[in-house]
Amino acid sequence: MADDCIFCRIAAGEVPCTRVYEDDTCLAFMDIGPLADGHTLLISKKHYEFIHEMPADEAAHLGRQIPALARAVQEAMGADGLNVLQNNGHVSGQAVGHVHFHFIPRVPGDGLGYRWPARESDTETLKKQADAIRQRLGT
Ligand code: AMP
Ligand code: ZN
């Protein structure tokens, strides 16, 4: 547990939350500053700052909760869709340095929008990038 981490303190029961799901290793609760009605967070109880720091089996346990939680959040809010979002690093928008997934229900005209400023690329560039990634994966 990181003493200065708000999500560790929530996981330890030192700071209250509005809980929707809990088991030995993860916890889901309502976001205190929701982007939409029903905005829910899923956290690992153990402190990891970034997703790539998590052991695969612990990340897999979090991942196993995603379909049921996504369905429950979307249906409970009567939403038409849902964004599942996981930020890593300040540059990505991460404000709380403890791994968490956002579940954000979406309805038409909710004003949240969706920014996806796709760029053009070319096969040569994509191949180089894939090579660099594959090298690190060892595949
Ligand atoms: P991120 O920008 O991905 O790190 O998201 C952090 C989220 O945590 C924000 O949506 C905050 O509203 C939410 N948050 C921060 N403190 C609390 C808290 N005590 N209880 C519930 N949600 C929180
Ligand atoms: Zn933490």
Side-chain angles (χ1 to χ4, degrees), residues 1-2 5-9 44-48 97-99:
M1 166 166 173
C5 172
I6 184 69
F7 286 177
C8 279
R9 297 189 65 208
S44 160
K45 285 189 173 175
K46 200 166 165 188
H47 182 87
Y48 298 100
H98 179 130
V99 167

Side-chain angles (χ1 to χ4, degrees), residues 6-7 10 15 29-33 39 41 87 93-96 100 102:
I6 184 69
F7 286 177
I10 287 174
V15 169
F29 54 96
M30 306 311 290
D31 193 304
I32 207 171
H39 184 163
L41 300 174
N87 299 325
Q94 184 179 21
V96 176
H100 54 281
H102 294 263

Side-chain angles (χ1 to χ4, degrees), residues 3-110:
D3 289 338
D4 56 348
C5 172
I6 184 69
F7 286 177
C8 279
R9 297 189 65 208
I10 287 174
E14 292 174 13
V15 169
C17 71
T18 308
R19 181 167 51 97
V20 298
Y21 175 78
E22 181 169 18
D23 63 28
D24 287 348
T25 57
C26 70
L27 174 66
F29 54 96
M30 306 311 290
D31 193 304
I32 207 171
L35 289 183
D37 287 345
H39 184 163
T40 302
L41 300 174
L42 172 66
I43 69 167
S44 160
K45 285 189 173 175
K46 200 166 165 188
H47 182 87
Y48 298 100
E49 188 171 3
F50 306 125
I51 192 106
H52 54 264
E53 293 176 339
M54 292 189 79
D57 58 341
E58 291 185 41
H61 181 79
L62 274 187
R64 272 197 293 275
Q65 317 310 318
I66 289 176
L69 196 49
R71 191 178 313 115
V73 169
Q74 182 170 326
E75 287 182 4
M77 293 303 118
D80 292 358
L82 179 102
N83 288 114
V84 177
L85 186 66
Q86 198 276 315
N87 299 325
N88 291 281
H90 183 68
V91 71
S92 76
Q94 184 179 21
V96 176
H98 179 130
V99 167
H100 54 281
F101 286 84
H102 294 263
F103 295 76
I104 306 164
R106 301 300 304 265
V107 291
D110 59 19

